[in-house]
């Protein structure tokens, strides 16, 4: 096969077994794709309820769509580790950094906004393991 | 070479399937632990490390003990050990795999384990332990595999392997020293706060690890018809004898300081460990089993007549493994938490799930060892014929 | 500095910080590194004094414990084995084992003493953490980052005061009500008292201090000579837990 190397007979042994094995492997590996296309589950687009009339989020919509997870990650570091609780937006506006206070103030329904898209994308953010969804919360002190 | 692990007799496959079943059972329990949290173990706010960390500590010692066959062979040119250095290295590999698994199952948030690397914290001994253990695993895997490869091709070892072997010797010492530092640097736990903890760890490791190696030699002699040779076993038994005597000596040194100084903060732990309190025995029966087994086996090993008797030697090795497993595991790790900083005396009893997970990790370790040793013996037999 | 002054200054500093854009304290860019920037050039050192006699006036009182548990969503597991505690009572001899000579003031011997995280100057828990999930802030608060904790519990082994708790189960299963201004924790992370860091930034006193009718808990800035806590520590004799360990606790007990 290769020049200069020993002449090796190019032949595939157990051809049928190998090809059958590859096909079975591919079928199993691609389960999510064919399963979803057969059952039509992938065909819908999640309908989100933004929950506010405000034109703009903390940053512009395009940025928020693709980067909200990064922004929240930075926020979390900023508040917890640096004690910095104010976010200066690109347009110079100042916001208090708070997932439940600032974000959910506008996006008042987690179920209709956050969850719908996360479910669709199969994303499982751990935020809600600890952070309280305001609507579900009861009890105040003071 | 890995292919050699796939050819074996009926007994071999039965053994592998048995180990597989134990691993699966352990894994099932681990899934439960993942779902419900570490609350399904016997640990709690006072005794916050238990069976997992105990076993972790014990097996770091087993891993470090490979140095006891590597050092005489490579540094003192003791040729007899050439036959089994690879066993020592592979025993270390399987032991390190177990230690890493024991740490992993002990984590409350295992998905975040890489945070140790993402946010390196050189002030934490655990950070260094992670580094030395992983490098030690790599060293032994490379050295063991390369040694076998050279043996298979009847070639001399390549030049680059020698520096690695030399490095692996102090590295073995380092893994157990750093592991001891996890405990001995804590002002909160007077029971661990002793400078001889690292030497004690090493002494007990050089008894328990080689004891496992001797048993391994007897097992492969019986089941794989591979004889390491009388001389080799005699020599390892001698090493164990010295190590065990030093281990007992160091424990007595500790006992003297604790009881003669009689600082309550220090002596209370040892009192509770050895005698319990108000009729509650706590861990004391375990500890006395460990003490008796340790002393008896030290005597049997120091005496040449009994040391040279294979049956007695085998029994002694088992006794030593049990004795040190108790001493270093429950006796050291769990006792450090009793009493708690607020004086609470808590009983620690591992739960079924905890034991199943532990057994599963043993299964993984023994499976890794079985496969590696099987390959090693196949290669050695091929090279001989 | 009395309480009113404290609140005023704290309130102003946060308000000014948010409202006045001329204060050069905000990040320059969107995500400028803010780690080195301080809210003011003056660094506070938070500390607490616990007046044992005042506390003992009301036996059985657990106002501070309840307040803390509520505002921090501390679960009530009811099982001593897995319990989560931020502030709780422990008998005097267990808190001060080095101060239990036989001839001791009768009323002190059986006194229940409030214990919480000591926010040590040399915190052993911080040193051992392999991920920096716990660290010491400039203002003296030993903080926890629950996002980063891997649950190895090395800090629990290292704390000489038993101040750290682990979430052996999902704490939400054991919360009757959820206080919505503070997150809960998740299973598998360690937690402890944070000196009400989230309240201090809003100019409020720690919940336990605010709720104590006996004024048994005195909180304030140890760096300010005229703060309440400094004043009482100057007038009365105080001890700390296990001083020989060199951790330098910032919770003082007034005898």
């Amino acid at each position: 096969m290769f020049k200069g190397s020993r002449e090796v007979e190019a032949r595939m042994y157990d051809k049928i077994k190998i090809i059958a094995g590859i096909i079975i492997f591919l079928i199993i590996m691609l389960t999510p794709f064919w399963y979803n296309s057969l059952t039509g589950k992938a065909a819908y687009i999640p309908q989100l309820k933004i929950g506010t009339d405000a034109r703009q989020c903390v940053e512009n919509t395009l940025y928020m769509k693709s980067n909200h997870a990064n922004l929240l990650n930075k926020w979390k570091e900023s508040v917890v580790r640096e004690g910095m609780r104010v976010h200066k937006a690109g347009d110079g506006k100042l916001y208090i950094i708070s997932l439940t206070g600032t974000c959910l103030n506008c996006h008042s329904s987690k179920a209709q906004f956050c969850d719908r898209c996360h479910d669709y994308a199969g994303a499982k953010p751990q935020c809600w393991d600890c952070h309280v969804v305001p609507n579900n919360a009861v009890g105040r002190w003071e | 070479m890995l292919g050699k692990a796939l050819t074996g007799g009926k007994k071999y496959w039965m053994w592998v399937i048995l180990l597989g079943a134990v691993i699966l059972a352990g894994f099932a329990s681990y899934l439960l632990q993942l779902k419900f949290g570490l609350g399904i173990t016997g640990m709690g706010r006072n005794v916050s490390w238990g069976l997992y960390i105990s076993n972790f500590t014990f097996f770091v010692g087993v891993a470090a003990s490979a140095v006891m066959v590597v050092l005489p062979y490579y540094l003192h040119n003791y040729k007899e050990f050439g036959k089994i250095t690879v066993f020592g290295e592979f025993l270390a590999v399987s032991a390190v795999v177990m230690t890493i698994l024991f740490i992993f199952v002990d984590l409350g948030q295992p998905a975040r384990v890489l945070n140790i690397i993402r946010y390196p914290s050189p002030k934490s001994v655990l950070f260094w332990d992670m580094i030395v253990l992983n490098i030690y695993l790599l060293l032994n895997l490379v050295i063991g595999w390369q040694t076998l490869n050279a043996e298979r091709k009847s070639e001399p070892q390549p030049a680059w392997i020698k520096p690695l072997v030399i490095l692996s010797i102090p590295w073995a010492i380092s893994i157990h020293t750093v592991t001891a530092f996890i405990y001995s640097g804590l002002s909160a736990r007077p029971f661990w706060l002793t400078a001889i903890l690292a030497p004690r760890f090493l002494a007990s490791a050089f008894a328990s690890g080689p004891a496992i190696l001797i048993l391994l030699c007897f097992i492969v002699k019986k089941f794989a018809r591979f004889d390491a040779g009388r001389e080799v076993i005699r020599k390892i038994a001698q090493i164990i004898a010295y190590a065990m005597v030093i281990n007992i000596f160091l424990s007595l040194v500790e006992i003297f300081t604790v009881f003669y100084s009689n600082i309550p903060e220090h002596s209370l732990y040892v009192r509770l460990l050895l005698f319990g309190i108000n009729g509650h025995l706590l861990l004391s029966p375990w500890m006395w089993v460990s003490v008796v087994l340790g002393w008896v086996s030290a005597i049997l090993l120091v005496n040449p007549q009994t040391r040279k008797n294979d049956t007695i030697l085998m029994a002694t090795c088992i006794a030593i493994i049990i004795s040190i497993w108790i001493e270093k595991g429950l006796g050291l790790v769990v006792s450090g938490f009793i009493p708690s900083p607020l004086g609470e005396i808590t009983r620690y009893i591992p739960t079924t799930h905890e034991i199943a997970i532990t057994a599963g990790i043993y299964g993984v370790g023994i499976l890794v060892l079985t496969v590696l040793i099987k390959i090693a013996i196949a290669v050695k037999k091929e090279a001989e014929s | 500095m009395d309480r009113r002054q404290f609140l005023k200054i704290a309130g102003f500093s946060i308000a000014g910080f948010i409202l006045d854009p001329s204060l050069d304290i905000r990040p320059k860019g969107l995500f400028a590194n803010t780690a080195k920037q301080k809210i003011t050039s003056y660094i506070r050192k938070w500390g607490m004094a616990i007046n044992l006699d005042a506390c003992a006036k009301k036996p059985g009182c657990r106002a501070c414990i309840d307040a803390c548990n509520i505002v921090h969503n501390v679960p009530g597991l009811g099982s001593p084995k897995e319990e989560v505690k931020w502030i709780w009572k422990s008998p005097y001899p267990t808190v001060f084992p080095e101060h239990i000579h036989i001839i001791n003031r009768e009323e002190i011997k059986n006194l229940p003493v409030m214990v919480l995280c000591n926010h040590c100057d040399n915190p052993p828990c911080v040193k051992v953490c392999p991920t920096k999930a716990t660290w010491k802030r400039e203002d003296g608060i030993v903080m926890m980052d629950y996002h980063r904790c891997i649950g190895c519990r090395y800090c629990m082994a290292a704390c000489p005061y038993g101040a750290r708790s682990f979430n052996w189960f999902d704490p939400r299963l054991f919360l009757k009500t959820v206080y919505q201004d503070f997150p809960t924790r998740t299973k598998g992370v360690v937690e402890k008292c944070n000196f009400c860091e989230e309240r201090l930034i809003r100019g409020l006193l720690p919940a336990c201090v605010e709720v104590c009718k006996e004024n048994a808990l005195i909180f304030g800035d140890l760096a300010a000579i005229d703060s309440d806590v400094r004043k009482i520590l100057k007038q009365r004799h105080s001890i700390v837990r296990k001083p020989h360990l060199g951790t330098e606790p910032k919770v003082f007990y007034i005898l």
Side-chain angles (χ1 to χ4, degrees):
Chain A
M1 272 166 82
F2 304 103
K3 265 183 192 167
S5 71
R6 265 188 300 153
E7 206 56 42
V8 182
E9 197 187 350
R11 201 183 140 194
M12 200 176 186
Y13 296 95
D14 291 332
K15 202 185 241 168
I16 294 169
K17 278 186 199 167
I18 290 173
I19 291 173
I22 291 174
I23 291 173
I24 291 171
F25 174 75
L26 284 177
I27 290 174
I28 295 172
M29 278 299 286
L30 300 176
T31 309
F33 293 100
W34 61 254
Y35 178 80
N36 276 341
S37 57
L38 284 181
T39 54
K41 277 200 170 170
Y44 79 99
I45 294 165
Q47 298 297 314
L48 307 185
K49 252 196 188 158
I50 293 172
T52 175
D53 298 331
R55 286 269 178 84
Q56 196 182 328
C57 195
V58 172
E59 299 289 341
N60 66 61
T61 313
L62 196 65
Y63 177 86
M64 291 310 290
K65 264 187 184 159
S66 53
N67 282 314
H68 63 282
N70 289 338
L71 182 81
L72 287 172
N73 261 332
K74 294 233 165 80
W75 274 20
K76 152 194 115 186
E77 295 278 311
S78 164
V79 168
V80 180
R81 306 198 70 91
E82 292 153 18
M84 174 55 74
R85 290 170 199 254
V86 176
H87 171 77
K88 189 180 183 184
D91 60 6
K93 270 191 190 160
L94 297 176
Y95 296 92
I96 290 183
I97 297 179
S98 169
L99 172 66
T100 46
T102 305
C103 302
L104 294 188
N105 221 0
C106 288
H107 302 292
S108 49
S109 172
K110 170 180 169 277
Q112 290 170 345
F113 184 69
C114 313
D115 292 352
R116 278 191 185 168
C117 203
H118 287 157
D119 288 347
Y120 176 76
K124 290 192 184 82
Q126 290 190 325
C127 314
W128 314 108
D129 289 358
C130 297
H131 288 277
V132 183
V133 184
N135 289 344
N136 295 351
V138 274
R140 273 184 176 260
W141 180 81
E142 264 157 354
Chain B
M1 283 200 290
L2 264 178
K4 293 194 183 353
L6 295 175
T7 52
K10 204 173 161 195
K11 269 186 194 163
Y12 171 70
W13 286 110
M14 294 282 280
W15 177 240
V16 169
I17 289 168
L18 176 74
L19 289 174
V22 172
I23 294 169
L24 272 182
F27 189 68
S29 281
Y30 182 66
L31 289 181
L32 265 178
Q33 184 185 294
L34 261 187
K35 182 153 193 258
F36 294 105
L38 278 156
I40 68 160
T41 68
M43 294 182 274
R45 63 170 291 127
N46 287 337
V47 180
S48 48
W49 282 342
L51 201 57
Y52 301 148
I53 298 297
S54 297
N55 276 295
F56 154 77
T57 312
F58 177 78
F59 281 105
V60 172
V62 174
S65 70
V67 75
M68 284 287 112
V69 286
V70 171
L71 189 145
Y73 178 66
Y74 283 99
L75 287 192
H76 299 290
N77 217 9
Y78 183 69
K79 287 279 180 251
E80 290 291 324
F81 274 2
K83 256 182 148 173
I84 56 147
T85 47
V86 88
F87 287 3
E89 281 148 1
F90 284 165
L91 178 61
V93 168
S94 67
V96 177
V97 167
M98 289 165 79
T99 60
I100 293 171
L101 285 174
F102 275 120
I103 289 281
F104 187 77
V105 299
D106 192 62
L107 296 181
Q109 286 282 340
R112 299 178 186 167
V113 64
L114 287 181
N115 279 3
I116 302 185
I117 296 162
R118 285 175 70 199
Y119 310 106
S121 317
K123 277 186 185 168
S124 173
V125 184
L126 215 51
F127 168 75
W128 292 107
D129 216 33
M130 180 271 297
I131 289 178
V132 290
L133 280 174
N134 280 298
I135 292 180
Y136 189 68
L137 175 65
L138 208 64
L139 276 177
N140 278 287
L141 210 52
V142 170
I143 294 169
W145 203 252
Q146 185 51 46
T147 311
L148 267 191
N149 224 352
E151 219 169 299
R152 189 173 65 124
K153 295 179 186 157
S154 332
E155 283 170 359
Q157 292 265 34
W160 55 265
I161 204 84
K162 187 85 195 223
L164 288 189
V165 174
I166 303 298
L167 178 67
S168 80
I169 293 169
W171 210 273
I173 311 286
S174 85
I175 63 166
H176 219 17
T177 306
V178 174
T179 303
F181 285 177
I182 289 180
Y183 304 101
S184 68
L186 300 183
S187 61
R189 310 285 168 178
F191 186 63
W192 298 333
L193 193 68
T194 163
I196 65 164
L197 200 65
R200 270 181 67 198
F201 269 25
L202 286 166
S204 65
F206 296 156
S208 59
I212 293 177
L213 204 55
I214 286 189
L215 289 182
L216 194 64
C217 287
F218 282 124
I219 289 169
V220 296
K221 193 175 166 187
K222 178 144 194 273
F223 290 99
R225 269 162 261 113
F226 176 85
D227 194 359
R230 229 146 225 276
E231 189 53 37
V232 169
I233 290 179
R234 292 277 145 77
K235 207 72 195 172
I236 304 177
Q238 249 172 26
I239 292 173
I240 303 176
Y242 283 118
M244 200 59 200
V245 169
I246 295 173
N247 184 37
I248 290 176
F249 170 71
L250 289 176
S251 309
L252 292 175
V253 168
E254 194 94 78
I255 296 267
F256 168 79
T257 308
V258 162
F259 282 128
Y260 196 80
S261 69
N262 210 15
I263 302 171
E265 216 176 48
H266 290 259
S267 59
L268 185 59
Y269 291 89
V270 186
R271 271 204 191 105
L272 285 170
L273 177 58
L274 291 179
F275 309 113
I277 188 168
N278 303 333
H280 295 290
L281 295 171
L282 302 165
L283 293 171
S284 63
W286 285 89
M287 212 47 209
W288 285 108
V289 168
S290 167
V291 169
V292 171
L293 288 180
W295 278 82
V296 170
S297 46
I299 294 166
L300 289 176
L301 278 176
V302 169
N303 181 352
Q305 254 91 53
T306 42
R307 185 172 68 227
K308 283 177 185 160
N309 179 318
D310 279 359
T311 321
I312 296 179
L313 181 60
M314 259 190 270
T316 314
C317 284
I318 294 171
I320 283 183
I321 294 165
I322 295 172
S323 167
I324 289 174
W325 186 86
I326 296 171
E327 178 196 318
K328 249 186 179 167
L330 302 171
L332 184 110
V333 176
V334 174
S335 298
F337 292 99
I338 311 170
S340 79
L342 279 160
E344 294 131 305
I345 288 160
T346 317
R347 276 196 84 162
Y348 165 72
I349 301 164
T351 59
T352 322
H353 288 304
E354 202 175 357
I355 293 169
I357 293 171
T358 305
I361 295 175
Y362 274 59
V364 173
I366 297 172
L367 184 64
V368 169
L369 187 65
T370 307
V371 166
L372 289 176
I373 296 291
K374 176 155 178 61
I375 294 170
I377 290 174
V379 168
K380 278 172 188 290
K381 278 190 176 166
E382 233 176 62
E384 269 173 24
S385 60
Chain C
M1 182 164 68
D2 63 20
R3 183 184 291 188
R4 176 175 297 182
Q5 243 177 321
F6 158 77
L7 292 174
K8 231 196 282 178
I9 290 174
F12 273 130
S13 60
I14 177 92
F17 162 60
I18 293 168
L19 298 174
D20 186 359
S22 69
L23 280 174
D24 192 22
I25 49 162
R26 285 164 288 101
K28 296 281 183 290
L30 184 53
F31 297 124
N33 180 17
T34 54
K36 293 283 178 291
Q37 297 190 356
K38 292 161 205 152
I39 292 175
T40 57
S41 57
Y42 172 74
I43 301 167
R44 292 175 207 285
K45 197 88 187 171
W46 299 119
M48 185 186 278
I50 299 178
N51 191 335
L52 292 184
D53 288 330
C55 186
K57 270 186 200 149
K58 252 193 170 173
C61 169
R62 43 176 293 136
C64 56
I65 303 173
D66 292 337
C68 175
N69 288 355
I70 288 170
V71 299
H72 296 119
N73 289 317
V74 177
L77 280 91
S79 140
K81 185 171 155 265
E82 286 101 3
E83 214 163 14
V84 177
K85 301 185 204 175
W86 284 35
I87 179 169
W88 72 102
K89 277 181 204 179
S90 192
Y92 177 88
T94 66
V95 183
F96 298 107
E98 59 281 317
H99 291 291
I100 42 162
H101 30 283
I102 295 168
I103 309 160
N104 223 334
R105 261 171 68 202
E106 271 307 319
E107 61 272 30
I108 269 188
K109 261 196 232 167
N110 302 316
L111 212 61
V113 177
M114 302 312 306
V115 286
L116 63 156
C117 171
N118 276 304
H119 296 277
C120 308
D121 260 357
N122 295 311
C125 54
V126 166
K127 195 162 55 181
V128 300
C129 178
T131 63
K132 301 196 184 85
T134 187
W135 76 99
K136 188 161 182 69
R137 298 199 328 187
E138 261 185 334
D139 61 2
I141 294 180
V142 175
M143 270 287 274
M144 266 298 298
D145 183 349
Y146 305 117
H147 305 100
R148 194 183 281 190
C149 174
I150 58 172
C152 70
R153 309 191 295 293
Y154 199 3
C155 55
M156 290 175 76
C159 175
Y161 307 106
R164 288 177 163 268
S165 307
F166 182 71
N167 284 285
W168 299 97
F169 295 108
D170 180 358
R172 286 193 174 177
L173 301 174
F174 303 92
L175 280 170
K176 284 188 201 80
T177 56
V178 177
Y179 180 70
Q180 73 170 60
D181 290 351
F182 200 77
T184 68
R185 264 70 60 203
T186 183
K187 68 168 184 282
V189 298
V190 171
E191 64 179 88
K192 65 166 196 73
C193 156
N194 65 349
F195 257 1
C196 278
E197 172 275 334
E198 81 286 356
R199 290 169 58 86
L200 294 177
I201 191 93
R202 287 185 284 155
L204 299 168
L205 280 167
C208 56
V209 177
E210 192 175 305
V211 84
C212 179
K213 298 233 161 54
E214 315 303 316
N215 276 333
L217 307 174
I218 302 110
F219 184 88
D221 181 7
L222 292 169
I225 300 170
D226 56 348
S227 66
D228 284 354
V229 62
R230 270 289 286 270
K231 272 191 216 151
I232 193 159
L233 288 172
K234 246 190 156 173
Q235 289 158 3
R236 304 276 303 272
H237 176 63
S238 65
I239 55 175
V240 293
R241 293 172 69 189
K242 302 188 182 175
H244 60 289
L245 299 182
T247 54
E248 295 191 34
K250 288 294 157 281
V251 173
F252 303 85
Y253 293 88
I254 293 164
L255 283 172

